[in-house]
mmCIF file of all heavy atoms in Angstrom:
data_model
loop_
_atom_site.group_PDB
_atom_site.id
_atom_site.type_symbol
_atom_site.label_atom_id
_atom_site.label_comp_id
_atom_site.label_asym_id
_atom_site.label_seq_id
_atom_site.Cartn_x
_atom_site.Cartn_y
_atom_site.Cartn_z
ATOM 1 N N GLY A 107 -0.136 -11.035 11.140
ATOM 2 C CA GLY A 107 -0.861 -12.250 11.499
ATOM 3 C C GLY A 107 -1.768 -12.841 10.443
ATOM 4 O O GLY A 107 -2.380 -13.880 10.673
ATOM 5 N N SER A 108 -1.897 -12.194 9.266
ATOM 6 C CA SER A 108 -2.740 -12.753 8.215
ATOM 7 C C SER A 108 -2.254 -12.276 6.851
ATOM 8 O O SER A 108 -1.350 -11.443 6.757
ATOM 9 C CB SER A 108 -4.198 -12.327 8.396
ATOM 10 O OG SER A 108 -4.382 -11.007 7.912
ATOM 11 N N HIS A 109 -2.931 -12.777 5.804
ATOM 12 C CA HIS A 109 -2.609 -12.402 4.429
ATOM 13 C C HIS A 109 -2.879 -10.926 4.125
ATOM 14 O O HIS A 109 -2.416 -10.401 3.127
ATOM 15 C CB HIS A 109 -3.432 -13.264 3.470
ATOM 16 C CG HIS A 109 -4.922 -13.028 3.587
ATOM 17 N ND1 HIS A 109 -5.670 -13.485 4.662
ATOM 18 C CD2 HIS A 109 -5.792 -12.350 2.799
ATOM 19 C CE1 HIS A 109 -6.927 -13.109 4.507
ATOM 20 N NE2 HIS A 109 -7.032 -12.422 3.389
ATOM 21 N N LYS A 110 -3.652 -10.229 4.973
ATOM 22 C CA LYS A 110 -4.163 -8.895 4.620
ATOM 23 C C LYS A 110 -3.071 -7.871 4.280
ATOM 24 O O LYS A 110 -3.307 -6.937 3.521
ATOM 25 C CB LYS A 110 -5.061 -8.366 5.727
ATOM 26 C CG LYS A 110 -6.314 -9.239 5.933
ATOM 27 C CD LYS A 110 -7.561 -8.462 5.732
ATOM 28 C CE LYS A 110 -8.843 -9.272 5.698
ATOM 29 N NZ LYS A 110 -8.966 -10.416 6.590
ATOM 30 N N GLN A 137 -8.216 -7.666 11.685
ATOM 31 C CA GLN A 137 -7.053 -8.053 10.868
ATOM 32 C C GLN A 137 -6.733 -6.997 9.809
ATOM 33 O O GLN A 137 -5.567 -6.676 9.576
ATOM 34 C CB GLN A 137 -7.327 -9.389 10.163
ATOM 35 C CG GLN A 137 -7.426 -10.571 11.089
ATOM 36 C CD GLN A 137 -6.084 -11.187 11.396
ATOM 37 O OE1 GLN A 137 -5.053 -10.558 11.258
ATOM 38 N NE2 GLN A 137 -6.100 -12.433 11.827
ATOM 39 N N TRP A 138 -7.753 -6.483 9.152
ATOM 40 C CA TRP A 138 -7.510 -5.507 8.094
ATOM 41 C C TRP A 138 -7.042 -4.167 8.682
ATOM 42 O O TRP A 138 -6.103 -3.547 8.189
ATOM 43 C CB TRP A 138 -8.754 -5.319 7.214
ATOM 44 C CG TRP A 138 -8.600 -4.191 6.237
ATOM 45 C CD1 TRP A 138 -9.325 -3.033 6.220
ATOM 46 C CD2 TRP A 138 -7.653 -4.090 5.162
ATOM 47 N NE1 TRP A 138 -8.885 -2.217 5.201
ATOM 48 C CE2 TRP A 138 -7.855 -2.846 4.535
ATOM 49 C CE3 TRP A 138 -6.646 -4.921 4.670
ATOM 50 C CZ2 TRP A 138 -7.100 -2.406 3.444
ATOM 51 C CZ3 TRP A 138 -5.883 -4.498 3.584
ATOM 52 C CH2 TRP A 138 -6.116 -3.249 2.984
ATOM 53 N N GLY A 226 -10.363 -4.073 2.528
ATOM 54 C CA GLY A 226 -9.433 -5.183 2.729
ATOM 55 C C GLY A 226 -9.848 -6.477 2.077
ATOM 56 O O GLY A 226 -9.148 -7.488 2.197
ATOM 57 N N SER A 227 -10.993 -6.484 1.377
ATOM 58 C CA SER A 227 -11.450 -7.711 0.723
ATOM 59 C C SER A 227 -12.478 -7.332 -0.339
ATOM 60 O O SER A 227 -12.623 -6.153 -0.668
ATOM 61 C CB SER A 227 -12.058 -8.663 1.755
ATOM 62 O OG SER A 227 -12.430 -9.870 1.131
ATOM 63 N N VAL A 228 -13.159 -8.313 -0.871
ATOM 64 C CA VAL A 228 -14.308 -8.192 -1.784
ATOM 65 C C VAL A 228 -13.962 -7.659 -3.190
ATOM 66 O O VAL A 228 -14.383 -8.241 -4.177
ATOM 67 C CB VAL A 228 -15.459 -7.313 -1.200
ATOM 68 C CG1 VAL A 228 -16.650 -7.298 -2.127
ATOM 69 C CG2 VAL A 228 -15.872 -7.828 0.172
ATOM 70 N N CYS A 260 -10.795 -20.661 3.060
ATOM 71 C CA CYS A 260 -12.047 -20.120 3.576
ATOM 72 C C CYS A 260 -12.436 -18.899 2.740
ATOM 73 O O CYS A 260 -11.578 -18.304 2.073
ATOM 74 C CB CYS A 260 -11.913 -19.752 5.054
ATOM 75 S SG CYS A 260 -10.718 -18.450 5.416
ATOM 76 N N VAL A 261 -13.727 -18.557 2.739
ATOM 77 C CA VAL A 261 -14.176 -17.367 2.005
ATOM 78 C C VAL A 261 -15.038 -16.446 2.863
ATOM 79 O O VAL A 261 -16.030 -16.862 3.433
ATOM 80 C CB VAL A 261 -14.996 -17.708 0.723
ATOM 81 C CG1 VAL A 261 -14.095 -18.044 -0.438
ATOM 82 C CG2 VAL A 261 -16.024 -18.789 0.967
ATOM 83 N N GLY A 262 -14.604 -15.191 2.933
ATOM 84 C CA GLY A 262 -15.401 -14.134 3.558
ATOM 85 C C GLY A 262 -15.838 -13.227 2.422
ATOM 86 O O GLY A 262 -16.948 -13.304 1.913
ATOM 87 N N GLY A 263 -14.914 -12.402 1.966
ATOM 88 C CA GLY A 263 -15.144 -11.599 0.749
ATOM 89 C C GLY A 263 -14.440 -12.208 -0.443
ATOM 90 O O GLY A 263 -14.657 -11.787 -1.575
ATOM 91 N N GLY A 264 -13.570 -13.191 -0.199
ATOM 92 C CA GLY A 264 -12.926 -13.938 -1.281
ATOM 93 C C GLY A 264 -11.455 -13.650 -1.516
ATOM 94 O O GLY A 264 -10.864 -14.210 -2.441
ATOM 95 N N SER A 265 -10.813 -12.801 -0.668
ATOM 96 C CA SER A 265 -9.446 -12.384 -1.030
ATOM 97 C C SER A 265 -8.375 -13.435 -0.770
ATOM 98 O O SER A 265 -7.466 -13.588 -1.584
ATOM 99 C CB SER A 265 -9.084 -11.048 -0.384
ATOM 100 O OG SER A 265 -8.709 -11.194 0.959
ATOM 101 N N ASN A 266 -8.458 -14.186 0.338
ATOM 102 C CA ASN A 266 -7.408 -15.198 0.518
ATOM 103 C C ASN A 266 -7.679 -16.394 -0.390
ATOM 104 O O ASN A 266 -6.743 -17.036 -0.884
ATOM 105 C CB ASN A 266 -7.201 -15.565 2.001
ATOM 106 C CG ASN A 266 -8.041 -16.731 2.481
ATOM 107 O OD1 ASN A 266 -7.645 -17.891 2.390
ATOM 108 N ND2 ASN A 266 -9.245 -16.428 2.995
ATOM 109 N N PHE A 267 -8.956 -16.660 -0.666
ATOM 110 C CA PHE A 267 -9.305 -17.739 -1.599
ATOM 111 C C PHE A 267 -8.776 -17.407 -2.998
ATOM 112 O O PHE A 267 -8.031 -18.177 -3.600
ATOM 113 C CB PHE A 267 -10.827 -17.939 -1.631
ATOM 114 C CG PHE A 267 -11.260 -19.039 -2.573
ATOM 115 C CD1 PHE A 267 -11.422 -20.340 -2.127
ATOM 116 C CD2 PHE A 267 -11.478 -18.776 -3.926
ATOM 117 C CE1 PHE A 267 -11.789 -21.353 -3.003
ATOM 118 C CE2 PHE A 267 -11.848 -19.775 -4.804
ATOM 119 C CZ PHE A 267 -12.007 -21.071 -4.349
ATOM 120 N N GLY A 335 -14.288 -12.481 10.160
ATOM 121 C CA GLY A 335 -13.908 -12.205 8.777
ATOM 122 C C GLY A 335 -14.778 -12.922 7.752
ATOM 123 O O GLY A 335 -14.637 -12.697 6.557
ATOM 124 N N LEU A 336 -15.676 -13.794 8.205
ATOM 125 C CA LEU A 336 -16.496 -14.575 7.266
ATOM 126 C C LEU A 336 -17.974 -14.230 7.381
ATOM 127 O O LEU A 336 -18.833 -15.038 7.045
ATOM 128 C CB LEU A 336 -16.287 -16.083 7.494
ATOM 129 C CG LEU A 336 -14.844 -16.600 7.472
ATOM 130 C CD1 LEU A 336 -14.828 -18.130 7.644
ATOM 131 C CD2 LEU A 336 -14.107 -16.218 6.195
ATOM 132 N N ALA A 380 -6.452 -19.014 12.950
ATOM 133 C CA ALA A 380 -7.541 -18.051 13.139
ATOM 134 C C ALA A 380 -8.870 -18.790 12.994
ATOM 135 O O ALA A 380 -8.949 -19.801 12.285
ATOM 136 C CB ALA A 380 -7.452 -16.941 12.091
ATOM 137 N N GLU A 382 -11.320 -18.075 11.193
ATOM 138 C CA GLU A 382 -11.624 -18.125 9.757
ATOM 139 C C GLU A 382 -10.894 -19.305 9.115
ATOM 140 O O GLU A 382 -11.479 -20.107 8.377
ATOM 141 C CB GLU A 382 -11.189 -16.813 9.075
ATOM 142 C CG GLU A 382 -12.007 -15.576 9.453
ATOM 143 C CD GLU A 382 -11.514 -14.889 10.725
ATOM 144 O OE1 GLU A 382 -10.558 -15.407 11.358
ATOM 145 O OE2 GLU A 382 -12.082 -13.841 11.094
ATOM 146 N N THR A 383 -9.603 -19.406 9.409
ATOM 147 C CA THR A 383 -8.751 -20.457 8.844
ATOM 148 C C THR A 383 -9.258 -21.848 9.229
ATOM 149 O O THR A 383 -9.141 -22.809 8.454
ATOM 150 C CB THR A 383 -7.301 -20.263 9.348
ATOM 151 O OG1 THR A 383 -6.931 -18.899 9.154
ATOM 152 C CG2 THR A 383 -6.335 -21.165 8.605
ATOM 153 N N SER A 411 -4.803 -18.884 6.305
ATOM 154 C CA SER A 411 -4.899 -17.431 6.122
ATOM 155 C C SER A 411 -4.399 -16.600 7.291
ATOM 156 O O SER A 411 -3.982 -15.451 7.095
ATOM 157 C CB SER A 411 -6.355 -17.052 5.799
ATOM 158 O OG SER A 411 -7.236 -17.524 6.797
ATOM 159 N N GLY A 412 -4.416 -17.151 8.514
ATOM 160 C CA GLY A 412 -3.941 -16.334 9.630
ATOM 161 C C GLY A 412 -3.875 -17.115 10.935
ATOM 162 O O GLY A 412 -4.436 -18.214 11.049
ATOM 163 N N HIS A 413 -3.198 -16.527 11.938
ATOM 164 C CA HIS A 413 -3.119 -17.206 13.240
ATOM 165 C C HIS A 413 -4.233 -16.724 14.167
ATOM 166 O O HIS A 413 -4.860 -15.685 13.921
ATOM 167 C CB HIS A 413 -1.745 -17.020 13.889
ATOM 168 C CG HIS A 413 -1.430 -15.619 14.340
ATOM 169 N ND1 HIS A 413 -2.180 -14.935 15.285
ATOM 170 C CD2 HIS A 413 -0.441 -14.769 13.980
ATOM 171 C CE1 HIS A 413 -1.659 -13.753 15.482
ATOM 172 N NE2 HIS A 413 -0.611 -13.610 14.690
HETATM 173 C C1 LIG B 1 -10.048 -11.293 6.692
HETATM 174 C C2 LIG B 1 -9.702 -12.708 6.885
HETATM 175 C C3 LIG B 1 -10.358 -13.739 6.184
HETATM 176 C C4 LIG B 1 -11.550 -13.517 5.292
HETATM 177 O O1 LIG B 1 -11.388 -12.606 4.266
HETATM 178 P P1 LIG B 1 -11.162 -13.048 2.753
HETATM 179 O O2 LIG B 1 -11.114 -11.765 2.026
HETATM 180 O O3 LIG B 1 -12.288 -13.929 2.341
HETATM 181 O O4 LIG B 1 -9.856 -13.756 2.716
HETATM 182 C C5 LIG B 1 -9.930 -15.033 6.364
HETATM 183 N N1 LIG B 1 -8.925 -15.332 7.207
HETATM 184 C C6 LIG B 1 -8.275 -14.367 7.921
HETATM 185 C C7 LIG B 1 -7.197 -14.771 8.857
HETATM 186 C C8 LIG B 1 -8.641 -13.029 7.768
HETATM 187 O O5 LIG B 1 -7.999 -12.081 8.468
#
Side-chain angles (χ1 to χ4, degrees):
S108 80
H109 64 287
K110 297 239 171 37
Q137 293 274 21
W138 172 245
S227 183
V228 184
C260 63
V261 278
S265 80
N266 91 88
F267 180 92
L336 306 183
E382 291 86 357
T383 311
S411 56
H413 68 61

